[in-house]
Amino acid sequence: MNEKQAHQYLADRVGIKPELIPYFIELQRDRTILNPFLPASVRQLGRVMNLKPGQRILDLACGKAGVSLPLVLMYQVNLVGIDILPEFVREAWSRAEVSGLYHLCDFITADAAQFAAKTKSRWDAVLMLGASPIWEGLEGSLKVLPGLVSPGGHLAIGEPYYQPGASRKIDNPFMMKEETTACMEKVGQVIEIIDDGDEGWQAYIEPERKAIAKLRADNPDHDELCRLLDIMIEDQTWEVENLGWAVWVIKIEL
């Protein structure tokens, strides 16, 4: 998939014009981890999954490999990362090279759903953090992802959930935390839920808020862009007020 095709694919997914996708990518410039997940929790994730040198991990919708590349560094595992955006894949490769981890990594520009459907491989650990819309939501993801995990391996899924008393949106497929956990338990044993709460949200949103302010200042006459930035601020505010975000770590026995 080339850059133009990737931008069109993402534009269709998020409902914006493909010409705006480069601005969307620019908003992620100062983020490495593209979810409300702290670096300390990446270490915890590796410990919970009991990673060992030489094991194989798959990171679907890996972004810049902000979570999976530190796991390679800490545990000397072999990583395959899949992302639809060539810009993110190039940055992941660059970070791997700078870190001296190039030989342990393979980053591929591809649709994660298509990759998962075609591969015959299984991995010791599979990560899918904040990307369940690829399979039309969590339930769709849980039909596909366990089949990519070797028996006794781990599946890590990052997912938003509704806070108690939240103002719900009809078009959002999210559930309460307990309901989300019950769904996860249908495919394996949930051995840990890693939730960084408000601190995770702030670490996630702060860099983007600064990038939004800069983009607006640099493009004051770009009406479509300014409308998109307004919507993003509105969405962020609603998310922080109503959603939590956590990573469920599931052991897959079969």
Side-chain angles (χ1 to χ4, degrees), residues 128 132-146 157:
M128 195 279 294
S132 63
I134 293 172
W135 288 278
E136 307 301 330
L138 178 59
E139 292 187 356
S141 302
L142 292 175
K143 291 177 182 177
V144 174
L145 301 181
I157 299 181

Side-chain angles (χ1 to χ4, degrees), residues 61-76:
C62 67
K64 304 175 183 181
V67 172
S68 52
L69 199 54
L71 294 176
V72 176
L73 178 62
M74 287 184 276
Y75 297 97
Q76 296 297 295

